[in-house]
Amino acid sequence: MAFRKLHPALKEIISLLKIETPTPFQQIGIKKIKSGANVYGIAPNNSGKTTSLIISVLQKLQCAPEGNAPRAVVVVENKEKAVELHGKFLQFTKYMGLRVYMGYEKLHIDIQKSEIFMGIDILITTPKNIYQLFLANGVSLSQLKLFAINDADFLIQRGDLMAINSLTESIKKCQYVVLAEKMNPKLDRLQDYFMSNPTKVIV
């Protein structure tokens, strides 16, 4: 089962949130992400992709804060998606102490830099925003364990693709997870940049 062999704190939260039966995607997807492989997760909306990602991120970080630099980055399309995902993460992390931070283009870069400097574990942001933060020395990627793109269908936009590809050139070693409703040629070409030897979970 997808919810076995998880950190005890994570299993407790899953129980409190009354998540009882894993979806078909979760049965396969969580296991594959937990393995440490680069993963393309392709499944329709409402198939449990986002919950799979949240569970996998928390498991990767062992449900506990550590250091000051983010150990997981989740990229989303825009501010609205960032707010939505931030709220979902907080449902899982409010009893764990993990520091989840949300950034986006319209939030002044200096404010983000000072808040990130205080220490975070998980950064939720947009492609252009994290690239701007990185160029401004506002975020360190030296401790990064997992880089994910949620609902990645939006990456058909050239500017977002360029930001992601340029950023990943500066990440030495990391697991990548890309979740989308459909596979398309631009997502497939991410293998030329950072999705080396990916596992594909298609439901």
Side-chain angles (χ1 to χ4, degrees):
M1 295 292 287
F3 303 145
R4 291 180 182 176
K5 298 182 180 179
L6 294 175
H7 190 283
L10 184 50
K11 288 197 287 187
E12 184 176 353
I13 290 296
I14 289 171
S15 177
L16 287 173
L17 293 175
K18 301 186 184 302
I19 304 173
E20 298 174 354
T21 304
T23 66
F25 180 85
Q26 289 167 350
Q27 288 179 341
I28 307 171
I30 292 174
K31 180 179 179 181
K32 294 298 184 182
I33 298 172
K34 278 179 58 185
S35 75
N38 292 336
V39 175
Y40 280 110
I42 309 298
N45 194 26
N46 297 320
S47 59
K49 297 192 300 297
T50 298
T51 300
S52 297
L53 176 62
I54 294 171
I55 290 171
S56 300
V57 168
L58 302 186
Q59 178 68 24
K60 188 91 171 179
L61 304 189
Q62 289 295 291
C63 300
E66 181 182 307
N68 293 316
R71 290 174 291 146
V73 167
V74 184
V75 173
V76 294
E77 180 178 6
N78 52 37
K79 175 185 175 181
E80 291 72 27
K81 293 286 187 179
V83 170
E84 180 183 357
L85 185 59
H86 184 254
K88 290 179 179 178
F89 261 100
L90 291 183
Q91 290 180 336
F92 281 80
T93 62
K94 59 183 177 181
Y95 302 118
M96 293 180 181
L98 280 165
R99 300 155 297 177
V100 186
Y101 184 76
M102 173 182 61
Y104 46 88
E105 282 100 322
K106 292 184 179 180
L107 182 60
H108 198 284
I109 199 79
D110 288 338
I111 293 175
Q112 295 184 66
K113 287 173 64 175
S114 62
E115 292 176 341
I116 290 171
F117 181 77
M118 298 298 290
I120 64 172
D121 298 294
I122 301 165
L123 173 60
I124 301 169
T125 186
T126 61
K128 293 175 184 175
N129 190 66
I130 188 173
Y131 189 53
Q132 290 171 359
L133 275 170
F134 180 74
L135 292 178
N137 294 317
V139 63
S140 170
L141 303 178
S142 62
Q143 303 302 310
L144 201 60
K145 295 179 179 291
L146 190 149
F147 186 101
I149 308 173
N150 198 41
D151 294 333
D153 307 83
F154 74 90
L155 278 183
I156 59 172
Q157 301 175 46
R158 186 169 181 269
D160 289 331
L161 272 170
M162 289 180 63
I164 293 291
N165 291 335
S166 298
L167 184 71
T168 55
E169 289 178 355
S170 301
I171 299 174
K172 293 182 179 179
K173 186 178 179 181
C174 183
Q175 179 185 9
Y176 294 96
V177 177
V178 176
L179 303 178
E181 289 189 37
K182 295 180 180 179
M183 200 70 186
N184 65 58
K186 289 193 175 181
L187 290 184
D188 197 50
R189 280 201 296 272
L190 295 179
Q191 296 180 66
D192 297 333
Y193 292 93
F194 57 86
M195 290 291 288
S196 59
N197 301 312
T199 295
K200 294 183 180 180
V201 178
I202 302 175
V203 175

